[in-house]
Amino acid sequence: MAQSAISMDAPQEHQHDTFKLLGFWIFLVTDCIIFACLFAVYAVLRTHTDGDLTGRELFEVKGFTAETLILLASSFTSGLASLAMHKGSKKQLLGWLTVTVLLGLSFVGLEITEFAKMASEGARISTNAFLSSFFTLVGTHGLHVSFGLIWMIGVMVQIARFGIDSLTKEKVTIVGLYWHFLDVVWIFIFTVVYLLGVM
Amino acid sequence: MGEKAKGFFVTGDPLIYGADVSIIITLLGILVFLTYFKKWGWLWSEWLTTVDHKKIGIMYLVSSLLMLFRGGVDALLMRMQLAMPNTHFLQSQHYNEIFTTHGTIMILFMAMPFMFALFNIVIPLQIGARDVAYPFLNAMSFWLFFFGALLFNLSFVIGGSPDAGWLSYPPLSELAGSPGPGQNFYIWGIQISGIGSLATGINFLVTILKMRAPGMKLMQMPLFTWSVLSSCITIIFAFPVLTVTLALLFVDRFFGAHIFTAASGGNPMMYVNLIWMWGHPEVYIVVLPAFGIYSEIVSTFSKKKIFGYKSMVFSMIIISVLGYFTWVHHFFTMGAGADVNTFFAITTMAIGIPTGVKIFNWLFTMFRGRITMTQPMLWTLAFIPCFLVGGATGVMLAAAPADYQYHNSYFLIAHFHQTLIGGVVFGYLAGLYYWWPKMFGFKLNDRIGKWAFWTWNIGFYVCFMPQYALGFMGMTRRVYTYGWDMGWAPYNLVSTAGAFLMGIGFIFQVWQILYSIKHGERDLTGDPWNGRTLEWSIPSPAPHYNFAHLPAVRSDDSWWDMKKHRYGAAGQDEIKEYAPIHMPKNSGIPFLMSACWFVAGFGLTFEWIWLGIAGLAGIGICLLARSFQRNTDYYIPVDEIKRTEASIGRVV
Amino acid sequence: MSKRLSSGRLRMVSVLAAGLLVLLSGCDRRYLIFNPSGPVAEKELHLIILSAVLCAVVVIPVLALLIFIVYRYRDKPGNKAPYTPEWSDSKILEIVWWGVPIIIIGILGVYTAKTTYSLVKPPVEDVKPITIQVTSLDWKWLFQYPDQKIATVNYAEIPAGVPVQFHLTSDQMMNSFWVPELGGQEYTMPGMAMRLWLQADQPGTYYGSGANFTGKGFAHMKFKVVAKPQAEFNQWAKQVKKTAPALTEAKYQQLAQKGLSEKQTYSSYPERLFLDTIDRNGGKYMKPEMKHGGHDMSMMDHDNE
């Protein structure tokens, strides 16, 4: 009995590492539901332009294609970062994360420019229901990306300071997962909002 | 909006001045007490920074009882206003605020934290774990709830309470309908505590899935654990919808967007759909754990195995899944068409099937058992008829064309109070009496408890049965006054009397707790009820680390089995070596970060953008600070475990 | 009126139960829902009674069983009742209590569906219905009679024995239009024209109220529906046409302000007032049948382009 009691304590502790990942997956499920609701709202309101400009007149193919390619590329580089981490190369890991952050920054920059341009043309969040739902959906994604950037920089600082160990490894994995998730959400935005919008 | 709010402080109502004075006196009293007895350090290190699930549970419990008091006072004020026709006790505006806060507080700031209190106190003990999966996040959930509730309640004295109903349908809840900050208080109060609830859902799901004692299979889990599991799954799928809905309403109000407005292409109907996609599952979120509690209690106090365990599990899972497909029954009368109404009418009735099955299983657990009338059992026995009738009126409401006649009438009010009080509150109270010795090490006094029980129960029927009749007489909810012409007066008067009886029941309970702190029967065994599950295998209250040895589970009703076959903690003459126990360290970050949320929420409520940004920045800093912490846990050395075990009378 | 609704036996049960309820309530006019004064309210009452009876079939035996079990198996020294602490499973019993509720819900489900579908049709087919357009305002009711081209505030007159199709909308807060003695309610929604069939069999005055909260003056949103024989109704309409003032656009704006109102009568109203109100509040995004007639109502424009 005594023996088993001791040996039984151990496995639970080792599992603690996988708890975080499991919890994060469940968090992503909840975030997915959040985006699903926003997509549903957009789907209902996308034609409710109140006589103003529609998506076809507002969206610029060049702009949103660039955003898409940049975000896809950043997802790829974050994957490379994860590979570098498993190889144990701190320098490569930091390098690829830096590239990911830079790509992410330019994505956010492009999105802000796009929003500012629309606003200057009179297409604001308060203009009509279509634009309200558009800015809310795309803006929520943009906020997620911005938050992810700060987070990723935080993780980079930690890697620089503490090196690659089990703690930082877990953090890189989780932030990477988050980043890929945002990429998937963007694919839906690209299709549902932009492609269907300009078609 | 600042200029639209008439003033920062709510003025002009003697009731509110009275509240102001009592709030200030209470606060001063607490400050003086803490300073005089030099308790600040104790408060910080033992409570504000704790990550111990048992202490967090107790804090949830205290907060929810306070909120029960506030919500109850709201209810009594309403009943006073409605006691007689043409009363001038409350103005229309004031009455509207009170029913709004009553509903919101009772569901979100009373039922939810009461439920989380029981999750926290019981679940790790019941599955033989030393903590939850994410203790830090658990503390965060509590403080988010706490500051959310604080923000919501603040509206009473600052800025003005929300007044658009507990689910705040637009366009009434939009800027045009509710210009003051009250509605923003509503949004941010619920939003902040809702994030905490979502985190708790994730936390306990992972805890139950991953941290069960060695050997405990899913189908050996106690039914309360199963009920929490199904409730958590429902939380995970429902609460994000609430988050989105409230956020969108705020976007409308803050940026002047048109998502739910009637003008410029918005769609208010969508809000009603979204809010009920959360709101209906929410009912099952709170009632499922109550079902779990009843199952534990019925089995324990009938000294018999629970009847139809598999059926019980299966029915809870069905309820939590079907719960997503019934939301439209809250607005059959919005003309969704015969197809839609028929579909949702039938799904709603169908929920009655697994619920009915549970009642039969409870009955047959008692059948050929030996029933002892303890306080938890009394509340459980009161629950069965109450919920049965409440459920039956629910089935009646589900028949869509009949609902055209009940909708928004007092029939509906009587129905949902019967399920929420008879089902949820009775359940949580039963759980409170049941697990109280485990929390605090003494039982609650029986004699005063019986007074409380009978006043509560008689009060309940006196209060709500007349309301069914009022529904048939055409009285609609949310009217602040009525005339003599409809014949509603006598029933309303009776109903008010019943409400006050329930209030007296609550006072009995407060007295009971205070009395029992001094005179309550101490529980030295750790197993005062001859329990069946693992929480009864350890001393009361449980030591910091819960289990000195993790129990090895061999069957369902595991503690019962251990006692019967004399092994585990019930075993004799076993030599046990202790191993150091891995525990999480306390942290002040959950408290500070939630305080920042409060600041942000307050700023956004008044549209003081600088304050909102400051709060959000604080949240960011807290998150980064946590991310950089590396030594978040420690080991309790064997010596200390030995000392603790000896001090609580366990063989070392 | 329940020919379509129920078989003979079921009807008898309902009638018996209805009788019982009426006795219990002392034949009281105050119980509006138990005093249906038209075919719609009658159908709904039948369903109410049916559902109550079906629920009672389960509830009463279970209550009796509860009392019996608690009494018989109480823990008392010398209790001779059997005690089987490990008995926890019985396939047959499980089948019984999964089966019985399923059957009951099945029966109720069928009648619910039948009634639901029957209520979107006019209550009687052989009488030409009239239309009344209802707008809920803060905090008053505007009734427009498109056939008679007259309007009233806070009361409506209808011909007895004639089906009335109410078209309901709101400028802007959602309310709910409820005349319990004539039938169940329907929401008034901004941007939509909801349809509700009601009919009064006998002349009389019926209580109506708003059932969904709309703010400060909500409790005062009551109105009377007065049913008169067709001839008297025509007489009344003619009288109104002759003597009442006109509801102008400006008057309407005044009426739409927040506040209470006395009963009012108007001899005419701006032609497109009702449709304009709907369009202004989002009606242009609704499917055309939502605004201009048609049977069923599917809710939102789901953009199937």
Side-chain angles (χ1 to χ4, degrees):
Chain A
M1 201 60 227
Q3 281 301 317
S4 64
I6 291 169
S7 59
M8 273 162 192
D9 282 7
Q12 214 185 21
E13 275 164 35
H14 285 296
Q15 284 170 7
H16 256 288
D17 300 339
T18 60
F19 285 3
K20 278 215 173 108
L21 202 57
L22 176 64
F24 195 76
W25 271 108
I26 302 174
F27 162 75
L28 286 185
V29 171
T30 64
D31 218 13
C32 237
I33 297 169
I34 286 184
F35 277 108
C37 291
L38 290 174
F39 274 109
V41 168
Y42 179 79
V44 171
L45 298 180
R46 59 185 281 259
T47 55
H48 295 202
T49 54
D50 211 28
D52 293 315
L53 295 179
T54 60
R56 191 170 314 164
E57 288 128 334
L58 285 168
F59 301 150
E60 283 182 14
V61 180
K62 236 196 306 178
F64 69 74
T65 315
E67 285 171 38
T68 308
L69 292 176
I70 289 172
L71 202 64
L72 282 177
S74 81
S75 206
F76 180 66
T77 54
S78 96
L80 291 179
S82 160
L83 281 181
M85 178 182 78
H86 288 301
K87 271 195 297 183
S89 162
K90 181 173 157 186
K91 221 172 96 189
Q92 271 188 31
L93 169 61
L94 282 176
W96 283 121
L97 284 180
T98 314
V99 176
T100 311
V101 166
L102 287 176
L103 287 170
L105 277 174
S106 40
F107 170 84
V108 173
L110 271 179
E111 192 163 75
I112 291 174
T113 325
E114 183 201 341
F115 282 9
K117 188 154 170 285
M118 282 172 75
S120 71
E121 288 165 358
R124 295 168 216 274
I125 192 166
S126 56
T127 308
N128 57 44
F130 154 64
L131 286 167
S132 300
S133 61
F134 166 81
F135 281 113
T136 318
L137 170 59
V138 182
T140 304
H141 177 268
L143 281 178
H144 271 75
V145 174
S146 313
F147 176 77
L149 286 172
I150 300 173
W151 183 4
M152 206 176 269
I153 293 169
V155 172
M156 282 164 65
V157 174
Q158 289 180 48
I159 296 165
R161 211 203 274 176
F162 307 119
I164 301 175
D165 59 15
S166 65
L167 276 178
T168 45
K169 252 187 179 167
E170 190 183 40
K171 284 175 203 242
V172 173
T173 312
I174 289 178
V175 78
L177 198 59
Y178 181 72
W179 201 255
H180 293 310
F181 166 74
L182 293 183
D183 211 40
V184 173
V185 173
W186 180 262
I187 300 289
F188 279 93
I189 292 181
F190 172 73
T191 333
V192 174
V193 177
Y194 289 106
L195 280 186
L196 283 178
V198 294
M199 262 174 4
Chain B
M1 182 176 306
E3 72 274 8
K4 278 181 202 140
K6 286 204 185 70
F8 187 67
F9 291 103
V10 178
T11 53
D13 194 312
L15 277 173
I16 291 178
Y17 289 132
D20 288 345
V21 172
S22 55
I23 289 170
I24 291 167
I25 291 175
T26 316
L27 279 181
L28 278 179
I30 293 170
L31 293 182
V32 168
F33 176 86
L34 288 173
T35 315
Y36 184 78
F37 290 100
K38 300 199 172 63
K39 289 284 189 189
W40 283 105
W42 167 81
L43 182 69
W44 177 258
S45 57
E46 290 291 314
W47 296 98
L48 301 190
T49 60
T50 188
V51 291
D52 181 348
H53 67 95
K54 300 179 286 296
K55 285 185 177 165
I56 291 173
I58 290 170
M59 291 194 288
Y60 266 123
L61 181 64
V62 172
S63 323
S64 71
L65 291 177
L66 282 174
M67 287 292 97
L68 178 62
F69 173 72
R70 154 103 212 247
V73 169
D74 281 349
L76 293 182
L77 290 174
M78 282 192 280
R79 283 316 319 172
M80 268 161 84
Q81 167 68 17
L82 292 179
M84 297 294 282
N86 306 322
T87 319
H88 294 287
F89 174 61
L90 298 175
Q91 295 304 308
S92 161
Q93 174 64 27
H94 199 176
Y95 184 85
N96 298 345
E97 290 174 2
I98 287 177
F99 73 66
T100 303
T101 54
H102 168 74
T104 314
I105 284 177
M106 284 303 199
I107 294 286
L108 287 152
F109 302 125
M110 189 283 286
M112 291 296 281
F114 206 148
M115 175 179 92
F116 290 149
L118 296 172
F119 280 22
N120 268 286
I121 290 160
V122 180
I123 287 298
L125 303 184
Q126 201 166 52
I127 61 172
R130 281 170 179 152
D131 211 321
V132 295
Y134 316 111
F136 176 87
L137 188 67
N138 197 25
M140 185 82 93
S141 292
F142 170 74
W143 289 110
L144 283 172
F145 148 72
F146 180 86
F147 281 107
L150 192 65
L151 185 62
F152 184 86
N153 279 279
L154 202 59
S155 65
F156 186 55
V157 286
I158 293 176
S161 300
D163 61 351
W166 86 279
L167 283 185
S168 291
Y169 286 2
L172 188 60
S173 58
E174 291 282 0
L175 212 45
S178 310
Q183 197 55 41
N184 292 345
F185 270 117
Y186 169 92
I187 292 172
W188 284 104
I190 297 179
Q191 192 71 293
I192 291 172
S193 71
I195 298 167
S197 305
L198 188 55
T200 305
I202 299 178
N203 208 339
F204 279 85
L205 177 64
V206 177
T207 305
I208 293 171
L209 289 180
K210 287 285 186 182
M211 295 188 57
R212 293 191 310 279
M216 187 187 276
K217 300 191 188 93
L218 277 176
M219 288 311 274
Q220 289 173 342
M221 294 197 311
L223 279 172
F224 179 65
T225 306
W226 264 113
S227 71
V228 173
L229 180 82
S230 44
S231 170
C232 284
I233 292 173
T234 315
I235 289 178
I236 288 166
F237 284 93
F239 264 77
V241 185
L242 176 69
T243 308
V244 175
T245 313
L246 291 175
L248 291 177
L249 184 60
F250 187 71
V251 166
D252 270 6
R253 294 175 60 88
F254 188 77
F255 296 108
H258 293 288
I259 293 164
F260 302 130
T261 60
S264 298
N267 191 333
M269 179 88 193
M270 195 159 55
Y271 178 93
V272 179
N273 272 287
L274 285 171
I275 199 84
W276 281 115
M277 279 180 191
W278 160 77
H280 198 77
E282 164 68 13
V283 186
Y284 297 110
I285 289 170
V286 291
V287 86
L288 281 168
F291 290 166
I293 294 167
Y294 297 127
S295 304
E296 301 290 329
I297 290 174
V298 161
S299 167
T300 304
F301 297 109
S302 304
K303 296 197 198 65
K304 188 158 163 276
K305 225 174 157 71
I306 191 83
F307 198 88
Y309 177 91
K310 276 185 201 153
S311 227
M312 289 300 236
V313 173
F314 186 54
S315 58
M316 280 195 286
I317 303 290
I318 295 187
I319 292 173
S320 71
V321 173
L322 261 187
Y324 293 107
F325 300 97
T326 62
W327 83 88
V328 171
H329 71 223
H330 293 274
F331 43 98
F332 280 145
T333 53
M334 272 188 196
D339 300 338
V340 176
N341 278 359
T342 305
F343 173 81
F344 282 96
I346 288 170
T347 53
T348 305
M349 291 174 193
I351 284 213
I353 299 169
T355 318
V357 166
K358 299 188 81 67
I359 288 184
F360 282 115
N361 279 330
W362 288 318
L363 284 182
F364 275 80
T365 305
M366 291 189 279
F367 182 74
R368 293 193 182 164
R370 279 292 174 271
I371 303 165
T372 27
M373 291 294 172
T374 54
Q375 293 185 75
M377 192 63 179
L378 272 181
W379 288 93
T380 305
L381 290 176
F383 144 81
I384 293 177
C386 195
F387 195 76
L388 195 62
V389 175
T393 55
V395 171
M396 290 168 69
L397 273 156
D403 177 70
Y404 301 163
Q405 287 283 34
Y406 306 130
H407 184 78
N408 274 357
S409 78
Y410 263 82
F411 185 90
L412 171 79
I413 305 299
H415 156 73
F416 74 67
H417 280 94
Q418 196 160 9
T419 48
L420 285 174
I421 295 179
V424 177
V425 177
F426 283 14
Y428 294 173
L429 287 176
L432 183 69
Y433 285 110
Y434 184 56
W435 283 301
W436 185 276
K438 188 52 58 188
M439 295 178 217
F440 299 106
F442 61 89
K443 281 192 188 174
L444 286 169
N445 180 278
D446 227 29
R447 195 172 42 87
I448 312 173
K450 287 211 167 119
W451 278 97
F453 172 80
W454 287 107
T455 36
W456 255 101
N457 270 273
I458 296 169
F460 174 83
Y461 289 99
V462 174
C463 182
F464 290 104
M465 293 306 111
Q467 296 189 5
Y468 282 117
L470 283 170
F472 288 127
M473 297 169 96
M475 182 163 169
T476 49
R477 69 196 295 196
R478 294 174 178 173
V479 290
Y480 77 98
T481 190
Y482 56 92
W484 284 100
D485 52 337
M486 302 300 294
W488 298 341
Y491 288 109
N492 273 302
L493 188 62
V494 172
S495 179
T496 302
F500 274 88
L501 264 181
M502 289 164 78
I504 293 170
F506 180 74
I507 294 173
F508 271 124
Q509 286 178 313
V510 174
W511 179 29
Q512 181 190 20
I513 290 174
L514 296 177
Y515 179 87
S516 308
I517 289 175
K518 228 177 139 74
H519 305 290
E521 181 194 334
R522 305 290 128 172
D523 167 33
L524 302 173
T525 59
D527 188 11
W529 309 116
N530 195 6
R532 312 176 73 87
T533 40
L534 286 176
E535 72 269 32
W536 306 110
S537 70
I538 51 173
S540 305
H544 175 51
Y545 45 77
N546 299 350
F547 294 89
H549 299 284
L550 286 182
V553 173
R554 290 188 204 161
S555 75
D556 52 355
D557 280 342
S558 28
W559 173 233
W560 189 257
D561 195 58
M562 285 179 192
K563 286 192 283 192
K564 211 164 98 189
H565 301 293
R566 305 226 149 260
Y567 65 93
Q572 286 169 325
D573 312 322
E574 285 174 16
I575 309 144
K576 294 173 180 173
E577 286 290 331
Y578 291 109
I581 294 174
H582 189 203
M583 295 299 283
K585 273 187 192 162
N586 284 0
S587 169
I589 291 178
F591 178 81
L592 294 175
M593 186 165 143
S594 308
C596 290
W597 269 106
F598 176 83
V599 171
F602 189 80
L604 290 169
T605 294
F606 282 95
E607 307 200 354
W608 299 342
I609 296 170
W610 57 272
L611 190 64
I613 290 176
L616 292 173
I619 296 163
I621 292 167
C622 288
L623 276 175
L624 279 178
R626 174 63 184 179
S627 181
F628 275 76
Q629 280 181 353
R630 292 178 76 77
N631 298 314
T632 54
D633 38 20
Y634 71 106
Y635 280 89
I636 303 179
V638 172
D639 283 352
E640 198 186 320
I641 302 171
K642 276 187 181 155
R643 240 179 298 129
T644 315
E645 288 291 300
S647 75
I648 47 185
R650 294 272 152 153
V651 202
V652 183
Chain C
M1 257 312 117
S2 57
K3 272 171 285 183
R4 257 171 275 155
L5 180 72
S6 50
S7 66
R9 183 180 298 175
L10 210 58
R11 191 175 176 195
M12 228 164 68
V13 172
S14 329
V15 169
L16 274 176
L20 200 68
L21 275 172
V22 170
L23 278 180
L24 283 175
S25 58
C27 303
D28 203 330
R29 277 281 298 170
R30 294 179 305 166
Y31 293 89
L32 305 179
I33 288 166
F34 298 141
N35 286 290
S37 304
V40 176
E42 243 166 52
K43 272 185 201 170
E44 285 161 352
L45 180 62
H46 277 126
L47 190 64
I48 287 173
I49 290 164
L50 176 72
S51 62
V53 169
L54 285 175
C55 286
V57 166
V58 181
V59 168
I60 293 169
V62 171
L63 286 180
L65 194 61
L66 172 70
I67 294 167
F68 166 74
I69 288 176
V70 171
Y71 178 76
R72 178 156 163 94
Y73 298 102
R74 69 203 184 285
D75 194 15
K76 200 186 74 175
N79 190 344
K80 298 232 171 51
Y83 173 51
T84 54
E86 296 298 323
W87 180 62
S88 65
D89 198 17
S90 161
K91 285 272 161 340
I92 297 167
L93 284 173
E94 293 267 4
I95 289 169
V96 169
W97 57 65
W98 278 96
V100 171
I102 289 177
I103 293 169
I104 287 178
I105 298 300
I107 298 172
L108 185 57
V110 169
Y111 284 98
T112 299
K114 275 192 182 167
T115 315
T116 310
Y117 282 97
S118 79
L119 288 179
V120 294
K121 289 186 231 127
V124 290
E125 307 281 0
D126 45 357
V127 183
K128 187 175 173 291
I130 74 160
T131 301
I132 300 178
Q133 297 166 333
V134 184
T135 311
S136 67
L137 299 160
D138 277 349
W139 294 283
K140 54 198 86 76
W141 294 92
L142 172 65
F143 300 89
Q144 290 162 259
Y145 293 71
D147 303 326
Q148 288 73 16
K149 302 270 184 292
I150 57 174
T152 59
V153 173
N154 283 351
Y155 81 103
E157 303 225 351
I158 57 170
V162 176
V164 185
Q165 186 171 49
F166 289 95
H167 291 193
L168 311 167
T169 193
S170 168
D171 193 11
Q172 289 190 341
M173 303 312 167
M174 285 178 198
N175 211 311
S176 192
F177 176 84
W178 189 26
V179 189
E181 286 149 295
L182 301 186
Q185 63 195 285
E186 187 85 26
Y187 271 67
T188 61
M189 307 277 293
M192 301 180 194
M194 323 289 273
R195 275 165 187 71
L196 176 66
W197 285 107
L198 295 178
Q199 179 179 323
D201 284 337
Q202 300 299 326
T205 304
Y206 304 104
Y207 169 82
S209 75
N212 191 57
F213 179 63
T214 49
K216 212 171 161 194
F218 163 69
H220 304 291
M221 285 192 69
K222 305 202 163 120
F223 57 91
K224 289 269 188 292
V225 174
V226 185
K228 290 179 169 172
Q230 181 78 50
E232 278 180 48
F233 172 79
N234 294 346
Q235 188 62 32
W236 168 78
K238 230 179 262 166
Q239 189 69 21
V240 168
K241 200 79 200 152
K242 239 187 282 169
T243 57
L247 176 63
T248 58
E249 193 62 55
K251 261 265 174 62
Y252 177 78
Q253 289 311 325
Q254 219 180 328
L255 203 59
Q257 301 289 316
K258 284 184 195 303
L260 305 180
S261 163
E262 294 294 315
K263 282 183 194 168
Q264 297 177 34
T265 314
Y266 294 102
S267 60
S268 68
Y269 54 82
E271 176 74 33
R272 283 188 49 86
L273 179 58
F274 188 72
L275 290 179
D276 283 347
T277 306
I278 294 174
D279 274 346
R280 198 175 53 249
N281 292 315
K284 55 186 156 211
Y285 304 109
M286 298 300 151
K287 286 180 183 160
E289 68 264 24
M290 280 298 301
K291 294 189 294 178
H292 307 298
H295 259 335
D296 208 354
M297 287 164 255
S298 55
M299 250 8 278
M300 282 174 286
D301 181 3
H302 278 301
D303 307 325
N304 303 314
E305 333 148 80

